[in-house]
Amino acid sequence: MRNPFRRRRAQAGQPARPLVRIEQPSPTRQPSAWAAFEILRAGQLMESADGDRTENLLHALDILAGARTVAANGEDAATIGLAMAFTADAHIALDRDADDLENAVAWYTVAAHQLRHSNPREYVSRLIDLSEAYRARVHDLPWRNAEKAVSVLRAAMVRAARHGWPDLWARAALGLGAAYDERIVGDRKRNRWHAIRVLRGAVEGFTALGNDARQAQARVALAQALLNGDHITVADCDEAIAAASAALDWYRRGGDLYLQAVSQSILGGALTQRDSPDAPGFAAGISLLAEAARLLAADPDPGARQAEASALISLGHACTDRAEAGDAAEGQRGVQALSRALEIYVELGRPVECRGIGLDLGLLQARHLGDWTGATRAFEAAAEAHDVLLSLSPDQDTRVLESPLGQRVAGLLAYGHAVTGNPGAAAVALERVRVRAARQVIDIHRTWDPQFPAVPPVPADAWPLTEFRALVTRIRTLAPDFLRPPGLADLQAVAESGPPVAYVVITEFGSAWIVLHERAGVLLVPEVTSEALRQMLVNGYVQGQFFGEPGFEDALADCLERLGALTGPLRAWLDEAGIGELVVIPTGYANLVPLHVGLAGADRTITYVPSAAMLRDARENAAVASGRPGRLVAAAVTDGIPPLPYADAEVRQVATHFDDSVVLSRTGGGGIEFLAAATSATHLHIASHGYANAAHPESSYLALPGGARLHVADIIRQAGRLAGTRLAVLSACQSALTMNQPDELLTLPTVFVVAGVGGVIATLWPVPDLSTALLMDRLYARMTDGTSPACALRQAQEDLAAMTPEDVLRFRQAHGFGPQAGAGRSTSAASRARTPADPTASPAASSTPGPGRSPRRPFGHPFYWAGFVYIGALSRSVIVEQPPGGRVEAVPPTVRDDPVNDGQPFERSGVPRVSGRVDQPVEEIVDLGPEQFRVA
């Protein structure tokens, strides 16, 4: 609850303060004295109860404007600062809308600059006022305002202590403690510790000063801080009860019903948090909360309404605790309390609070009452509030802080729609969550179109969204679909123009597949929860995926086995329906796992896209590229840590499939040269190191020759300029990773689609150098006959899994590598990431095959091939009209056991045979030296 003590300066019923008649100095001969006189007169008007209060305040603002002008002529910084500070006070008292508070922040800021040296005591006092304005501020995000308040109050406390002003020190301590209690930046536990420590000091300071009113305020704030922790102890509750009880006694004696109700609300919350639902103290707490809400409901003041909402939230949580004990009636009472709190915060324009209450309300209805219809409505309110927050302030720091909660809300909303039998609405909910970063999208559109109109600053966190909606309307005159949430008809049209589209959402209640085909459908998988997925990922999988730690192969095998429970129902449906192609749109942490392995079937191709809107764009891009003669632009990076000896051989082998190619390898060609050449290419291929930055995705990059880097931001600047490029192959590590990203524009594959590419092949984890080169050779060989890149990737993965040591040796010899090539090169962390030992390292290592591996199939484990995914459109890719004769010779198809799919046989296509004589026996062929990994 924000600033419960910030009330109107003049309350109804207060006695009128008579105006003091003072002889007015001359503004020309005594400008400072005249300005001081005007400031005094304005202050009297602001405090007066005579006449219309708003008119008095507006008149005071006019007087203060003249006082500032005259004081400036006198060059008296103290008087100028005082006039500015009183101007801020007048805007605070007006409190008509968010602009008044914004003006107050601005005037307090400039007043502090004027008063800093001319009137140090007034300077400290106005810093405290500025902090209160920051904490109540609507513009900008709450966490940023809280940081500014903390900074200002720290300075005020230091100054007050230095000059020996205990009253100002205690005021600053009271504000700082409350600001720390609201702070979400940094460690929450440490912030709470600071809040409690400072507020205890404030209580002691006001006690020593004998200021009972301020002491009661400090006790209320201390009780709030004690109850706001994640792990509240009985001692915390006892101290909060003592503090709130003391404050309540004082306010009862003073007769202030508003502050009495605030104290009752906090006391009731403390009792319900300390005691069990069946204890007498718990019942007393519920009674106090209900009484506090009733008292506050009678007060129309915005501060009172906010305090009422806070009491209702505590009441709703207490009723939720009783509902968990099986009391359905209390659950319904909790729903009523939270619903009313949600209504209040919607009316007050508080999207942060609306999101939290909507989430709590939905969880109560779904978990304890089984009311998924009501829960879905609550989740919808939370999702709307979250969209408002991120649409108005889409900076990266905000995304990092807000994204996990936003993904949770969107997932719960979609799951609610799925459970209630509304798969279309579920798909729309998941698609809508992709359209959030308004300011960033605006910048990208401006990059595409130099004539795009200049975009003025948008006030953040303003609700209703008058300014924002006006801006969106303006932009839509040039871009009709800008930030327009897709409807079910839009999504169905995307699905009907190609293979079925399947969204997957995983929540604490279970998982759901939302399939858009001939009609929308749902497959519920309640046994796979978000906690189950988390356990699956933290069991060595994420550690190996992001950091190359040992044991990743075993963790991957375990992950694939567990994923069967999630993918099995959809795979059974695909088999029964005879569907050979599927587009998957994963959400949340499902982006990190190879879902295509569990969904694979006989000749079934699985592709990915981040959203249906991006799928539509990829199809349009692919259509532009169709019919163009193949032209390759490739780059290879062989140095770095670890070195990649096969990267150069990879791109040169890929180039043999094109009549027109440009290969940047071991040259000085950097990012500028590569991007300049890429604009005329149909195929891009980068074999190098890659780095995925989950916290700051615009910093994700691919290494280029000459030490250059191709960042996500660089590709965004090429938006639309790669039109005509059918395929981009990012043959590097972690190039497909997207973790906790609230929008689809800041991952390596999707920015290529934004730039005009029809499809991207990328990786989910650190990939070995040799096996990657083999896979890429097979990929392009498959595409020479017009096979689509997605199908060619699937076939190349099957080829790699079936390769024998002899096939590997032929490739090595054809590119000048002996049986020990790569041996002795430092692999540092990359080699340590390989556990168990590399199956191609020695006969001994291969004699004990792991899952999906055998001595005759060194790359049979999914680790070597399952990390490659295709993102984009499924149309064919023309490399050349006819593949050059003799370039690729395929062996006859054979049948092998699938190392992953329950031992069911499937057909593998041919493995290329390169001319050359095998001089080594097979037992020496497998001694291929230490593997290199494409990691940054």
Side-chain angles (χ1 to χ4, degrees):
M1 182 176 62
R2 288 171 169 264
N3 296 353
F5 302 100
R6 191 175 70 86
R7 303 282 286 171
R8 292 192 297 264
R9 295 294 176 92
Q11 298 287 346
Q14 285 185 342
R17 181 175 297 179
L19 297 179
V20 179
R21 303 296 179 185
I22 305 175
E23 183 178 353
Q24 187 170 8
S26 169
T28 55
R29 295 191 300 271
Q30 300 171 295
S32 296
W34 185 89
F37 175 85
E38 290 295 279
I39 293 170
L40 178 61
R41 192 159 69 93
Q44 289 179 335
L45 272 174
M46 291 164 57
E47 295 290 340
S48 175
D50 292 339
D52 182 76
R53 184 169 180 273
T54 300
E55 291 296 329
N56 288 343
L57 291 170
L58 292 175
H59 188 195
L61 285 174
D62 292 337
I63 294 173
L64 290 167
R68 294 196 305 271
T69 302
V70 173
N73 295 332
E75 298 182 354
D76 185 347
T79 305
I80 296 172
L82 202 59
M84 291 175 172
F86 269 69
T87 302
D89 291 341
H91 281 293
I92 287 287
L94 272 173
D95 200 17
R96 295 167 297 183
D97 52 33
D99 289 337
D100 278 322
L101 198 55
E102 193 68 10
N103 287 328
V105 169
W107 284 115
Y108 279 137
T109 302
V110 294
H113 285 295
Q114 293 290 334
L115 295 168
R116 182 171 185 177
H117 299 293
S118 60
N119 190 339
R121 181 176 175 84
E122 189 68 20
Y123 167 69
V124 173
S125 178
R126 293 308 180 173
L127 285 181
I128 299 171
D129 292 337
L130 174 60
S131 72
E132 292 180 357
Y134 270 131
R135 291 175 54 215
R137 191 185 188 198
V138 173
H139 289 320
D140 212 343
L141 287 177
W143 69 265
R144 193 180 289 124
N145 288 326
E147 287 302 290
K148 293 176 181 178
V150 167
S151 177
V152 167
L153 287 164
R154 283 172 175 167
M157 285 188 67
V158 170
R159 291 257 175 171
R162 182 184 303 164
H163 290 283
W165 298 323
D167 56 333
L168 292 180
W169 184 93
R171 278 186 60 201
L174 173 58
L176 182 60
Y180 267 124
D181 188 39
E182 297 167 359
R183 194 184 192 202
I184 62 174
V185 175
D187 182 70
R188 173 60 185 155
K189 184 177 180 181
R190 186 167 182 82
N191 287 337
R192 179 174 178 264
W193 179 82
H194 278 303
I196 294 172
R197 180 179 62 85
V198 173
L199 287 170
R200 285 170 177 163
V203 171
E204 294 175 1
F206 288 126
T207 301
L209 292 168
N211 190 332
D212 293 338
R214 290 284 189 180
Q215 180 190 149
Q217 289 185 24
R219 290 186 185 279
V220 169
L222 174 60
Q224 283 183 310
L226 288 163
L227 298 176
N228 282 345
D230 295 328
H231 303 286
I232 302 172
T233 65
V234 174
D236 292 333
C237 291
D238 288 339
E239 185 177 357
I241 290 169
S245 298
L248 179 59
D249 290 341
W250 194 88
Y251 288 129
R252 280 175 174 167
R253 292 195 302 270
D256 190 323
L257 291 179
Y258 167 75
L259 296 177
Q260 175 184 331
V262 170
S263 302
Q264 279 187 215
S265 174
I266 296 172
L267 178 58
L271 290 170
T272 55
Q273 290 195 49
R274 183 192 66 177
D275 296 338
S276 60
D278 57 349
F282 195 95
I286 286 183
S287 298
L288 284 170
L289 290 168
E291 176 65 14
R294 185 188 65 79
L295 290 173
L296 292 165
D299 190 339
D301 183 81
R305 301 195 66 207
Q306 190 170 329
E308 178 194 358
S310 179
L312 289 169
I313 292 171
S314 297
L315 178 60
H317 290 163
C319 293
T320 300
D321 292 339
R322 284 194 165 178
E324 290 179 352
D327 192 335
E330 286 295 314
Q332 292 293 346
R333 185 181 182 187
V335 168
Q336 294 174 1
L338 292 175
S339 298
R340 174 56 186 155
L342 181 59
E343 291 174 5
I344 292 173
Y345 277 124
V346 168
E347 294 170 4
L348 293 176
R350 293 288 187 180
V352 174
E353 289 82 355
C354 288
R355 182 181 59 185
I357 299 170
L359 184 58
D360 289 343
L361 177 58
L363 292 174
L364 168 60
Q365 292 174 299
R367 184 173 292 153
H368 303 299
L369 302 179
D371 179 11
W372 274 102
T373 300
T376 303
R377 286 196 298 266
F379 293 143
E380 178 68 40
E384 180 182 351
H386 184 79
D387 287 345
V388 169
L389 288 172
L390 287 190
S391 293
L392 293 176
S393 291
D395 59 277
Q396 184 56 34
D397 289 336
T398 301
R399 284 197 295 271
V400 171
L401 287 170
E402 303 288 348
S403 178
L405 184 55
Q407 287 191 358
R408 184 187 181 201
V409 170
L412 288 169
L413 174 59
Y415 191 79
H417 281 307
V419 171
T420 54
N422 196 349
V428 170
L430 291 174
E431 192 71 20
R432 187 182 73 178
V433 78
R434 303 308 216 175
V435 186
R436 287 189 178 154
R439 179 64 61 78
Q440 181 181 323
V441 178
I442 291 171
D443 291 340
I444 292 172
H445 276 71
R446 293 179 67 186
T447 303
W448 288 345
D449 185 357
Q451 304 302 318
F452 203 78
V455 178
V458 181
D461 204 13
W463 203 16
L465 308 176
T466 312
E467 302 94 337
F468 179 70
R469 287 170 179 160
L471 175 62
V472 171
T473 301
R474 180 184 175 194
I475 294 171
R476 284 177 178 168
T477 61
L478 292 178
D481 293 330
F482 176 73
L483 287 183
R484 193 182 301 279
L488 179 58
D490 301 322
L491 303 185
Q492 201 69 49
V494 173
E496 289 174 354
S497 60
V501 176
Y503 296 84
V504 59
V505 58
I506 304 173
T507 73
E508 53 255 60
F509 295 98
S511 304
W513 291 96
I514 295 96
V515 182
L516 302 181
H517 188 31
E518 297 173 352
R519 59 185 180 84
V522 168
L523 291 172
L524 295 177
V525 191
E527 60 270 23
V528 180
T529 64
S530 54
E531 176 60 22
L533 178 63
R534 190 191 72 82
Q535 292 292 337
M536 186 188 311
L537 294 178
V538 300
N539 191 28
Y541 181 88
V542 171
Q543 294 88 331
Q545 185 176 38
F546 278 92
F547 310 112
E549 294 186 6
F552 179 66
E553 289 185 48
D554 293 335
L556 173 61
D558 178 67
C559 177
L560 291 174
E561 182 178 355
R562 297 190 188 188
L563 275 178
L566 175 64
T567 57
L570 181 59
R571 177 177 176 175
W573 178 81
L574 295 172
D575 292 341
E576 182 180 354
I579 293 175
E581 294 179 341
L582 178 71
V583 179
V584 175
I585 302 180
T587 62
Y589 289 110
N591 285 287
L592 302 180
V593 295
L595 298 169
H596 55 283
V597 176
L599 296 173
D603 297 326
R604 180 178 299 134
T605 300
I606 307 296
T607 63
Y608 295 88
V609 289
S611 70
M614 189 65 73
L615 175 59
R616 178 195 58 205
D617 294 343
R619 288 173 178 170
E620 293 174 356
N621 296 344
V624 172
S626 64
R628 293 184 58 187
R631 183 174 191 271
L632 172 72
V633 173
V637 175
T638 58
D639 53 4
I641 301 176
L644 304 176
Y646 293 98
D648 186 66
E650 175 186 320
V651 297
R652 296 195 180 279
Q653 178 66 15
V654 167
T656 64
H657 296 284
F658 292 82
D659 291 334
D660 184 6
S661 62
V662 175
V663 177
L664 305 176
S665 177
R666 305 188 187 210
T667 70
I672 296 177
E673 180 181 339
F674 180 83
L675 290 173
T679 57
S680 61
T682 61
H683 292 72
L684 304 177
H685 190 103
I686 303 176
S688 70
H689 294 292
Y691 175 69
N693 190 327
H696 297 278
E698 73 279 2
S699 300
S700 300
Y701 68 85
L702 297 170
L704 291 176
R709 294 177 176 180
L710 184 59
H711 287 91
V712 161
D714 299 327
I715 306 168
I716 289 180
R717 296 189 186 100
Q718 299 297 311
R721 298 177 187 173
L722 297 183
T725 302
R726 175 60 189 89
L727 178 67
V729 179
L730 313 183
S731 182
C733 288
Q734 305 173 333
S735 51
L737 284 183
T738 168
M739 183 176 180
N740 273 351
Q741 297 307 321
D743 60 79
E744 63 197 27
L745 298 176
L746 288 178
T747 62
L748 280 165
T750 52
V751 292
F752 272 103
V753 176
V754 169
V757 178
V760 182
I761 292 176
T763 61
L764 291 174
W765 54 72
V767 289
D769 189 23
L770 172 58
S771 61
T772 299
L774 291 165
L775 178 70
M776 292 302 154
D777 180 47
R778 294 305 304 133
L779 169 70
Y780 284 88
R782 290 292 187 179
M783 285 194 293
T784 54
D785 61 358
T787 302
S788 71
C791 295
L793 175 62
R794 172 181 57 81
Q795 294 169 356
Q797 289 171 322
E798 295 171 359
D799 292 345
L800 179 64
M803 278 188 181
T804 65
E806 293 90 344
D807 298 324
V808 178
L809 183 61
R810 291 189 187 100
F811 178 87
R812 293 169 59 88
Q813 288 182 325
H815 295 283
F817 293 100
Q820 297 297 329
R825 293 177 182 263
S826 172
T827 59
S828 65
S831 62
R832 294 195 299 272
R834 297 294 312 283
T835 303
D838 187 341
T840 64
S842 67
S846 301
S847 61
T848 308
R853 190 193 306 127
S854 73
R856 298 296 301 163
R857 299 290 184 265
F859 300 122
H861 194 284
F863 165 74
Y864 296 97
W865 47 267
F868 291 87
V869 295
Y870 178 84
I871 301 160
L874 260 169
S875 56
R876 67 195 296 268
S877 173
V878 177
I879 295 181
V880 292
E881 292 300 323
Q882 296 292 333
R887 181 168 294 170
V888 178
E889 177 187 353
V891 299
T894 60
V895 176
R896 68 176 179 86
D897 288 338
D898 181 356
V900 177
N901 298 311
D902 303 323
Q904 298 298 318
F906 66 86
E907 186 176 81
R908 82 162 173 95
S909 302
V911 177
R913 294 189 182 278
V914 183
S915 59
R917 190 167 58 87
V918 179
D919 297 324
Q920 290 84 14
V922 172
E923 57 268 20
E924 297 180 10
I925 292 173
V926 296
D927 190 10
L928 301 178
E931 186 61 273
Q932 312 297 324
F933 287 75
R934 301 189 180 185
V935 295

